[in-house]
Amino acid sequence: MHLATEEILVRDASNTGMSAESQSGAVAKTPEELADIVSRFASSDGWLDRVRLRAQHRWYERLYHGPNYDIWVISWMPGQSTGFHDHGDSAGAFVVTTGVLEENRPDQHPFAIPPGNPRAFGRDYTHDVRNASRAPAISIHAYSPPLSEMNEYELDGSQLVPREQSSERSARLDQEWRAQSPNLSNHIGALSIEQTLAAARARLRRLSPAEAYGAVVKTAATLVDIRPEGQRAIEGSIPGALIVERNVLEWRFDPASSARLPLATDHDLNVIVLCSEGYTSSLAAAALQDLGLWRATDVVGGFNAWRATGLPISPPTSAS
């Protein structure tokens, strides 16, 4: 499968130290160098507004194309998969930024890849990557030389057999996953609240109070205070924060809900959830991600940390 070779540079690529390179003297990057590239690129925010989610298939876009390597962003809805494939003559690396992906190799057990842990590989590396979770995922990929060909395979027993048509395989894998998903609870033990909280936070790019304040001031981020009225009266409130109590949060932000807020028109809304101490907000932000709001995150330490940082608050209206 040959890919388009048009050059697409992300608007803020210069913030990550990446810019158009000279077309002469191109030198292939090592897998380790590519892992560093995707990690640095993922830590920037210049590419986030490019991301789209597609229910029918994975969405992807090439963000940078130079003589030595290229960079791609891919979004994954639950159940979406690449199928087994290689990368032609290219080495590569990828890092998950949101959600959790699963990598499958013919000779290994599947294993989960959480955010922030880059995977790097050389040429002739074959794998299947899929979103086996119940929430969207986003990943950044780099290839050197720039990706120009992918060969796709069927798994026949323990052997990979080349194939030509990838779409049928991916569609079948997606259908199989969806058919199995109602029975997943039969194979997964019950989780404690600590495990549930850890799993939720593994999907989030959590913000400090100062980072959250900066996002609200400088971008279109929406700070959502989910504390109940009585708690806000005792602790204080945040000027300008949108009040949406936890028990109605999903209905207010699901774009498909008849009870949604006017601003909840699509899944690209940047929602920052705040509670009292930063526990309930993590679970709430993960619930919003389950609805497809892939930017949703929360504030570390909640309102108490916000107040301790010296950020703007309105005083309590009742005595504790």
Side-chain angles (χ1 to χ4, degrees):
M1 177 176 65
H2 294 279
L3 305 171
T5 58
E6 62 180 349
E7 294 193 5
I8 304 174
L9 293 177
V10 68
R11 288 198 304 258
D12 296 336
S14 59
N15 292 338
T16 67
M18 299 172 191
S19 58
E21 301 169 344
S22 169
Q23 294 294 322
S24 62
V27 178
K29 300 291 186 181
T30 66
E32 293 74 20
E33 289 173 325
L34 292 171
D36 180 62
I37 287 170
V38 295
S39 295
R40 289 189 294 118
F41 197 90
S43 67
S44 71
D45 291 329
W47 52 272
L48 283 173
D49 61 352
R50 298 290 195 96
V51 177
R52 299 293 181 267
L53 299 173
R54 296 289 182 266
Q56 298 83 4
H57 52 75
R58 288 175 300 120
W59 173 93
Y60 54 86
E61 181 179 333
R62 177 152 43 191
L63 300 177
Y64 170 78
H65 182 229
N68 296 345
Y69 61 90
D70 57 0
I71 300 175
W72 299 73
V73 58
I74 303 178
S75 70
W76 317 66
M77 293 296 283
Q80 291 178 351
S81 167
T82 62
F84 283 101
H85 65 282
D86 64 24
H87 311 88
D89 291 329
S90 299
F94 69 97
V95 65
V96 178
T97 65
T98 300
V100 178
L101 293 178
E102 179 182 274
E103 184 178 33
N104 298 271
R105 301 208 66 208
D107 54 347
Q108 298 177 6
H109 292 293
F111 60 93
I113 306 173
N117 294 333
R119 293 281 298 162
F121 47 85
R123 299 179 182 182
D124 302 321
Y125 186 85
T126 304
H127 64 171
D128 165 41
V129 180
R130 66 185 300 107
N131 182 358
S133 74
R134 296 180 181 271
I138 301 170
S139 53
I140 296 291
H141 302 242
Y143 303 97
S144 181
L147 190 64
S148 61
E149 183 179 6
M150 293 173 63
N151 301 300
E152 295 161 330
Y153 303 86
E154 292 278 1
L155 185 61
D156 183 5
S158 60
Q159 300 294 319
L160 289 176
V161 179
R163 63 184 176 85
E164 296 181 358
Q165 299 297 326
S166 63
S167 59
E168 294 179 3
R169 166 71 170 170
S170 294
R172 180 161 58 83
L173 288 172
D174 293 351
Q175 291 172 358
E176 290 175 356
W177 184 89
R178 291 189 177 95
Q180 294 171 2
S181 60
N183 299 318
L184 287 178
S185 59
N186 296 333
H187 306 287
I188 301 176
L191 298 179
S192 69
I193 184 57
E194 294 299 330
Q195 291 172 317
T196 301
L197 180 63
R201 287 177 171 173
R203 296 157 48 185
L204 305 176
R205 182 183 289 181
R206 306 186 73 209
L207 302 177
S208 69
E211 290 172 329
Y213 180 74
V216 171
V217 171
K218 299 176 183 178
T219 72
T222 301
L223 182 65
V224 179
D225 190 340
I226 63 171
R227 293 174 299 155
E229 181 179 4
Q231 199 167 29
R232 297 195 308 273
I234 294 172
E235 296 178 345
S237 58
I238 297 175
L242 180 63
I243 306 300
V244 181
E245 294 193 4
R246 178 65 189 92
N247 61 325
V248 296
L249 184 70
E250 289 90 334
W251 283 266
R252 298 295 183 259
F253 282 98
D254 182 0
S257 170
S258 61
R260 69 173 178 83
L261 294 169
L263 59 82
T265 57
D266 59 51
H267 294 97
D268 292 329
L269 188 64
N270 189 359
V271 179
I272 303 173
V273 184
L274 177 139
C275 67
S276 183
E277 296 183 338
Y279 292 92
T280 302
S281 59
S282 295
L283 300 177
L288 291 180
Q289 285 197 2
D290 288 341
L291 294 177
L293 281 80
W294 59 274
R295 295 177 186 263
T297 188
D298 75 325
V299 179
V300 177
F303 179 82
N304 289 344
W306 181 285
R307 179 175 53 196
T309 304
L311 295 171
I313 65 169
S314 297
T317 58
S318 68
S320 58

